Amino acid sequence: MHNKRVLVAMSGGVDSSVTAYLLKSQGYECVGATMRLTCPAPDPTTGMSKVDRDIADAKAVAERLGIPHHVLDLQQTFDRNVVERFMNAYQEGLTPNPCIICNRHIKFGALLDAALDMGCDYIATGHYAKTSQAPDGTWQLHRGEDPKKDQSYFLYSLTQERLARTIFPLAGLDKERDVRRIAAEQGFTNAQKAESEDICFIPDGDYAGYIERRCGHPAAPGDIVWRDGSVVGRHNGALRYTIGQRKGLGVAMAHPVYVTGVDAANNTVHLGEAEDLAATALTANDWIWSAPADHMEAELDAGGIRVGAKYRYRQKDQAATLTRGAGGQMLLTFDEPQRAIAPGQAVVVYRGDIVLGGGTVTAAIK
């Protein structure tokens, strides 16, 4: 029996519900918490918004498990730290990942702070990832064992201090074979609840429309420019384009062409050939070590670190060398040329199945 107190982040979905069940079964004293991050309009047929339904689902599971449940209103914190950062990045021609921003500032920031304020020893979530403690007492963040569900890419901001306070009970479980089965066996009403695929505050996936509505005006039109500098068309908002995009360009060309750059300062979108998307390296800033920072910095000082790197979630590891770049940035040099690296993306580096750290791409180097 643990008798340790843990705050379980309960989204109303099946993963976090089974997380709470497993921890209670293991003897932890569980406290459920659901974050209210947005305030969408209610569904006219039910009178409830999706957020209200999720809170109700989480509360029902907590009641079934006999654990207390709290609703934490983090709307202002979420708006300031996630939504505004997301909007600003898009308006600067970047390609941000709001789920990574949310994990850093909300789930393992504000929610972890709330857990400690409630006297909890740990925070637990339904992420598919794994932690372990090395013999020297340091912590390691591992990939989830099911490669289709592994979410370690989104968790690189878990520093040593955060890893020591975090539990991922679903490590080693299969979503369909194990998690849904456990939920059904326990009589959870959300056992077959569908997964949320979209960004939670933009459920229709129309990022540009959302930003325009928030700003109160449409994005300014501008030029679409070919690789030789000639203007080949007009766009109705540079924020509608991202590097590597091939469809919906608003330009008729005789062969497939791609977005190769978004110049927010001049409000232009640049097009080119597939070969124009190739890069041999990238630079990144806002770097965070998940592995022990002093160990990693020593390896950098010794000449660099061999890593497997991902700058997109579903990407396979790409062999690369991590070294110090100019101006305090990191320089990641790939063994093989890479395609469509977009500033604003998260880049995460691994050693085998262990997350070493990550940062935000600032530039692709040809």
Side-chain angles (χ1 to χ4, degrees):
M1 295 291 285
H2 284 279
N3 293 321
K4 290 280 191 176
R5 187 172 166 90
V6 56
L7 185 75
V8 184
M10 299 181 72
S11 66
V14 65
D15 294 326
S16 57
S17 299
V18 171
T19 292
Y21 163 75
L22 292 173
L23 289 172
K24 185 169 187 244
S25 301
Q26 292 164 17
Y28 286 94
E29 179 190 347
C30 294
V31 179
T34 305
M35 299 177 290
R36 184 183 288 279
L37 302 178
T38 61
C39 190
D43 184 320
T45 57
T46 64
M48 294 177 75
S49 69
K50 181 183 182 302
V51 171
D52 291 330
R53 288 198 308 275
D54 289 342
I55 290 171
D57 288 346
K59 185 176 178 62
V61 169
E63 286 178 352
R64 191 167 184 87
L65 292 174
I67 66 173
H69 177 259
H70 302 275
V71 178
L72 305 179
D73 190 340
L74 295 175
Q75 291 179 77
Q76 289 185 336
T77 305
F78 182 76
D79 204 70
R80 181 175 64 251
N81 287 288
V82 179
V83 177
E84 288 185 11
R85 288 172 193 260
F86 172 84
M87 288 175 50
N88 291 340
Y90 254 96
Q91 290 171 308
E92 291 167 11
L94 304 176
T95 305
N97 188 313
C99 297
I100 287 176
I101 302 170
C102 181
N103 282 334
R104 178 176 176 181
H105 295 282
I106 307 299
K107 287 189 181 127
F108 299 95
L111 188 62
L112 179 54
D113 291 343
L116 298 176
D117 288 344
M118 289 183 195
C120 293
D121 302 288
Y122 303 105
I123 186 174
T125 71
H127 285 100
Y128 287 84
K130 179 181 172 184
T131 61
S132 69
Q133 195 168 17
D136 64 359
T138 60
W139 289 90
Q140 297 172 325
L141 173 63
H142 304 257
R143 303 177 204 265
E145 292 183 27
D146 179 356
K148 298 188 300 297
K149 289 294 296 176
D150 168 44
Q151 293 173 304
S152 60
Y153 174 84
F154 298 101
L155 299 169
Y156 73 82
S157 67
L158 269 66
T159 58
Q160 288 290 295
E161 296 75 19
R162 290 179 172 187
L163 286 172
R165 296 278 190 180
T166 301
I167 307 175
F168 296 125
L170 302 189
L173 298 187
D174 180 90
K175 173 74 174 256
E176 300 304 324
R177 185 188 67 229
D178 303 317
V179 175
R180 290 198 187 278
R181 174 183 56 78
I182 292 169
E185 288 171 356
Q186 295 306 310
F188 295 164
T189 55
N190 59 5
Q192 296 304 320
K193 190 171 183 177
E195 293 189 64
S196 54
E197 297 288 344
D198 296 305
I199 293 174
C200 66
F201 57 95
I202 314 179
D204 64 359
D206 181 8
Y207 306 166
Y210 175 85
I211 293 169
E212 288 174 325
R213 290 190 296 274
R214 281 277 303 232
C215 293
H217 58 80
D223 289 336
I224 299 176
V225 181
W226 183 240
R227 64 200 301 211
D228 63 4
S230 61
V231 175
V232 293
R234 295 279 289 171
H235 65 73
N236 61 343
L239 49 69
R240 287 181 163 80
Y241 297 81
T242 190
I243 289 175
Q245 182 177 331
R246 183 171 72 87
K247 296 182 178 177
L249 303 182
V251 172
M253 304 287 273
H255 63 287
V257 299
Y258 302 85
V259 175
T260 57
V262 179
D263 182 348
N266 294 302
N267 196 28
T268 53
V269 172
H270 293 263
L271 303 184
E273 307 285 2
E275 69 234 32
D276 298 327
L277 293 171
T280 59
L282 63 79
T283 54
N285 66 5
D286 203 14
W287 194 267
I288 300 173
W289 292 116
S290 182
D294 53 345
H295 297 188
M296 293 294 98
E297 294 291 333
E299 288 193 45
L300 279 180
D301 291 339
I305 307 172
R306 289 293 293 168
V307 298
K310 295 167 65 164
Y311 52 90
R312 279 192 290 270
Y313 169 42
R314 293 294 185 189
Q315 186 178 28
K316 291 182 178 176
D317 284 14
Q318 303 298 308
T321 301
L322 184 68
T323 54
R324 295 191 197 279
Q329 297 197 98
M330 292 293 186
L331 174 65
L332 189 64
T333 305
F334 294 95
D335 290 10
E336 301 288 337
Q338 299 297 306
R339 186 178 182 279
I341 298 171
Q345 287 175 317
V347 58
V348 181
V349 296
Y350 295 79
R351 176 176 285 153
D353 80 327
I354 296 172
V355 178
L356 299 181
T360 304
V361 176
T362 53
I365 300 171
K366 305 296 185 188

